[in-house]
Amino acid sequence: MTGEDQLILVNENDEMVGVGEKLKIHRTGLLHRAFSIFILNSLGELLLQRRALNKYHSPGLWSNTCCGHPGPGEPLLAAARRRLKAEMGLDCQLTQVGSFIYRQDVSGGLIEHEFDHLLIGHSDLDPTLNLEEAVGWKRANFERLRREVSDHPEDFTCWIRVIINTQLHVFSYQSLLARQAGKRLDGPQGG
């Protein structure tokens, strides 16, 4: 089993409580550490990916730029940059702007139950897709994305729907603007 097949089990405070096999965790719905990356361009548009059709859950759905799980002993930001490079061919600085817990049934009888760390970065480059991970991409501002998620929720992953519907993305966008302006923005880390 590779390190990418092992996920970090956590409690509601994101404290490690164990390690488990990825597919088993998704079958049983155990809470595990994850990250969701949001890459914005200089116009404030979010880079979205369409998940590959061979993914074991949520195939072919639109989602944020990149998602993943750190392996045991792997720092969160290092794992996130590794996955962003592997999936989208992009390498940029990432900043954590918040986190939340969600639990949703996904396709194939699997359950996503994640302590999800929200990470943002900036790039105006077009991605170079790894077709094993993503089969399409587009950019959308948050207002357009909110409308698309509202009009066609079945086209989007459960986690991007939660993030858009709960307005968690607003903090991410405000954080990016403040960072670009050279300011520090403090805010809630959970929630």
Side-chain angles (χ1 to χ4, degrees), residues 46-135:
L46 174 62
L47 177 61
L48 298 162
Q49 69 156 271
R50 183 168 177 237
R51 289 171 58 88
L53 300 176
N54 63 344
K55 298 295 267 184
Y56 72 98
H57 75 75
S58 309
L61 298 182
W62 286 100
S63 197
N64 52 291
T65 311
C66 178
C67 293
H69 309 93
E74 184 178 27
L76 184 80
L77 289 175
R81 287 186 72 177
R82 173 180 54 78
R83 290 304 308 156
L84 181 62
K85 183 74 170 167
E87 288 188 24
M88 305 296 280
L90 296 174
D91 185 19
C92 63
Q93 291 291 85
L94 299 172
T95 302
Q96 182 170 343
V97 295
S99 60
F100 72 109
I101 295 173
Y102 75 98
R103 181 183 173 101
Q104 295 282 319
D105 292 339
V106 293
S107 57
L110 302 175
I111 302 165
E112 279 289 15
H113 189 195
E114 295 186 331
F115 191 108
D116 195 9
H117 295 264
L118 303 176
L119 308 172
I120 60 169
H122 176 269
S123 179
D124 285 315
L125 298 176
D126 289 345
T128 303
L129 300 181
N130 173 345
L131 296 178
E132 293 293 314
E133 300 291 340
V135 293

Side-chain angles (χ1 to χ4, degrees), residues 1-181:
M1 211 172 298
T2 68
E4 287 192 32
D5 293 328
Q6 295 288 303
L7 303 186
I8 301 169
L9 299 170
V10 297
N11 63 20
E12 291 78 16
N13 296 315
D14 196 32
E15 298 164 333
M16 182 175 166
V17 297
V19 173
E21 191 270 322
K22 183 177 184 178
L23 193 53
K24 182 178 179 185
I25 288 172
H26 285 113
R27 284 186 179 130
T28 57
L30 296 173
L31 182 61
H32 57 281
R33 188 173 294 152
F35 54 82
S36 292
I37 301 171
F38 297 80
I39 300 298
L40 302 169
N41 66 11
S42 56
L43 300 175
E45 297 169 318
L46 174 62
L47 177 61
L48 298 162
Q49 69 156 271
R50 183 168 177 237
R51 289 171 58 88
L53 300 176
N54 63 344
K55 298 295 267 184
Y56 72 98
H57 75 75
S58 309
L61 298 182
W62 286 100
S63 197
N64 52 291
T65 311
C66 178
C67 293
H69 309 93
E74 184 178 27
L76 184 80
L77 289 175
R81 287 186 72 177
R82 173 180 54 78
R83 290 304 308 156
L84 181 62
K85 183 74 170 167
E87 288 188 24
M88 305 296 280
L90 296 174
D91 185 19
C92 63
Q93 291 291 85
L94 299 172
T95 302
Q96 182 170 343
V97 295
S99 60
F100 72 109
I101 295 173
Y102 75 98
R103 181 183 173 101
Q104 295 282 319
D105 292 339
V106 293
S107 57
L110 302 175
I111 302 165
E112 279 289 15
H113 189 195
E114 295 186 331
F115 191 108
D116 195 9
H117 295 264
L118 303 176
L119 308 172
I120 60 169
H122 176 269
S123 179
D124 285 315
L125 298 176
D126 289 345
T128 303
L129 300 181
N130 173 345
L131 296 178
E132 293 293 314
E133 300 291 340
V135 293
W137 66 274
K138 65 181 177 179
R139 289 190 175 92
N141 65 42
F142 282 111
E143 186 55 41
R144 177 178 150 204
L145 181 58
R146 192 177 308 111
R147 279 194 313 271
E148 288 182 13
V149 168
S150 176
D151 293 346
H152 301 284
E154 69 280 1
D155 293 343
F156 294 88
T157 59
C158 62
W159 56 91
I160 192 73
R161 291 192 317 255
V162 169
I163 292 166
I164 295 300
N165 290 335
T166 60
Q167 303 291 308
L168 288 170
H169 64 281
V170 172
F171 184 70
S172 298
Y173 186 61
Q174 290 171 341
S175 295
L176 178 68
L177 294 177
R179 191 171 56 108
Q180 288 175 337

